[in-house]
Amino acid sequence: MSLKGKIVFITGASAGIGAATALAFAAEGARLLLAARRAGKLAEVASAALERGAEAVHTISLDVRDRQAVQQAIGALPAEWAKIDVLVNNAGLSRGLEKLYQGNVEDWEEMIDTNVKGLLYVTRAVVPGMVERGRGHVVNLGSTAGELTYPNGAVYCATKAAERAINDGLRQDLLGTPIRVTTVDPGMVETDFSLVRFHGDQQRAAKVYQGIHALTPEDVAEVIVWAANRPEHVNIARVLLTPVQQANSLLFHRES
Ligand code: 8X3
C-alpha cells in the first residue's frame, strides 16, 4: 500500500491533529485536500505540506456544520480532486467543562453540530463516491472521552460516544465493499483543544497539561497514517492511545 499520489481529505486541517496529519500524509507524497474554517491558517498548512513533499494541495474554506456548504464543496470539486481515497474526519472541538445541569446550551450545540452532525454530513457526501469507485478509507477521530465519560464533560463525551457508534455502524454498512473504516481515539493531546474548550482562558488551559507529558498532534498523525498505510485487506478498526501518564479519561499521574 503506497500513499503516494492518493487523495487525502482532512477536515479541521488548519491546526492541531488535523494540521499534523496533513504534514504526515505530505511526507508520504499524498495529494491533500484540506478543509477548515480559517482560510489564513489553512494556507500556512498548505505551504508547509508542499514543502514536506505533498504531490499537490487543494484547500477549501469550509464549516462542516453547514450541511449545504459541505454538499456543495464536495460536489463542486475539480475532477482531479474528486476521487477521494482517504477521508480523515478530524474537525471537532470541546466547549465548556461544567455540570450538565448548569451547562451552556450554545456550547452543546456547537459540539454536537461539529463533532456529530458535521462528521455525518462529510461522510454522507464523500462515502458514496468511494463505494462507486470500489476504493476508500474513512478515518474518524474519536477520544478516550467516548469510551468513559468524565464529570463536567457529558456533552463532549456524548459526541465522542456518538462518533464511536457512527464509526462502527459505517463499518457494518460498508461490509461487502473494500472500503475501510477506522477510529483513532487519543487521550490527552497538547493542542489548542483546551484553549478552545475554555473560550481562550490560557491559564485554565495550561493547567490541563500540568505535570503530564501529553501526546503531541504528531503522535496521533503517525497512527492515522499507519492505519491508512496497511495492506488493503487489513482494517484497523480502532486505536486507543494515551500518554503513559494517563490510564483512561478519568485517571492521570501528574508529576508535581
Ligand atoms: C480529548 C480528550 O480527555 O481531554 O478528546 O476530553 S479529553
Side-chain angles (χ1 to χ4, degrees):
M1 181 73 195
S2 164
L3 293 167
K4 185 149 180 48
K6 291 269 157 45
I7 299 178
V8 180
F9 180 27
I10 304 168
T11 65
S14 59
I17 294 170
T21 302
L23 296 184
F25 276 108
E28 302 290 326
R31 293 163 59 78
L32 298 176
L33 199 48
L34 305 179
R37 285 174 297 176
R38 297 176 292 180
K41 290 244 173 210
L42 201 55
E44 285 172 27
V45 176
S47 60
L50 282 170
E51 265 174 42
R52 191 68 75 89
E55 201 175 280
V57 182
H58 183 74
T59 58
I60 313 173
S61 196
L62 182 68
D63 184 340
V64 298
R65 293 174 299 178
D66 184 338
R67 176 155 55 110
Q68 281 184 339
V70 169
Q71 282 169 342
Q72 206 273 333
I74 309 288
L77 282 173
E80 69 271 26
W81 286 101
K83 295 177 180 167
I84 297 166
D85 294 294
V86 181
L87 163 63
V88 182
N89 269 320
N90 165 74
L93 81 173
S94 69
R95 285 287 195 196
L97 191 67
E98 60 241 321
K99 294 184 190 302
L100 184 79
Y101 62 86
Q102 294 168 333
N104 179 317
V105 176
E106 278 89 43
D107 283 351
W108 297 354
E109 285 180 341
E110 194 177 355
M111 291 188 280
I112 293 166
D113 289 350
T114 310
N115 303 4
V116 183
K117 291 167 71 179
L119 180 144
L120 285 168
Y121 297 157
V122 176
T123 302
R124 182 67 183 83
V126 172
V127 174
M130 291 180 167
V131 173
E132 249 173 55
R133 293 186 293 277
R135 189 171 91 228
H137 190 165
V138 181
V139 181
N140 294 308
L141 266 294
S143 171
T144 45
E147 185 187 48
L148 183 61
T149 303
Y150 51 79
N152 303 312
V155 177
Y156 176 71
C157 293
T159 67
K160 291 299 179 178
E163 176 277 338
R164 191 167 171 185
I166 292 164
N167 183 80
D168 293 349
L170 181 64
R171 189 178 325 99
Q172 293 170 17
D173 292 344
L174 285 167
L175 200 61
T177 78
I179 321 297
R180 304 187 287 178
V181 183
T182 299
T183 181
V184 173
D185 301 353
M188 187 183 280
V189 186
E190 193 156 359
T191 61
D192 58 9
F193 177 87
S194 295
L195 198 61
V196 171
R197 163 167 267 174
F198 299 130
H199 296 276
D201 182 338
Q202 295 200 340
Q203 269 183 340
R204 200 169 169 203
K207 275 207 185 112
V208 171
Y209 308 108
Q210 226 164 46
I212 291 181
H213 187 166
L215 297 174
T216 65
E218 291 74 23
D219 293 328
V220 183
E222 243 176 61
V223 171
I224 295 169
V225 170
W226 172 78
N229 223 351
R230 292 309 85 212
E232 277 177 23
H233 67 289
V234 178
N235 189 95
I236 304 298
R238 177 170 181 241
V239 179
L240 179 73
L241 69 156
T242 64
V244 174
Q245 289 171 265
Q246 177 178 18
N248 56 43
S249 70
L250 284 166
L251 197 58
F252 295 87
H253 172 75
R254 289 183 198 270
E255 299 289 345
S256 45

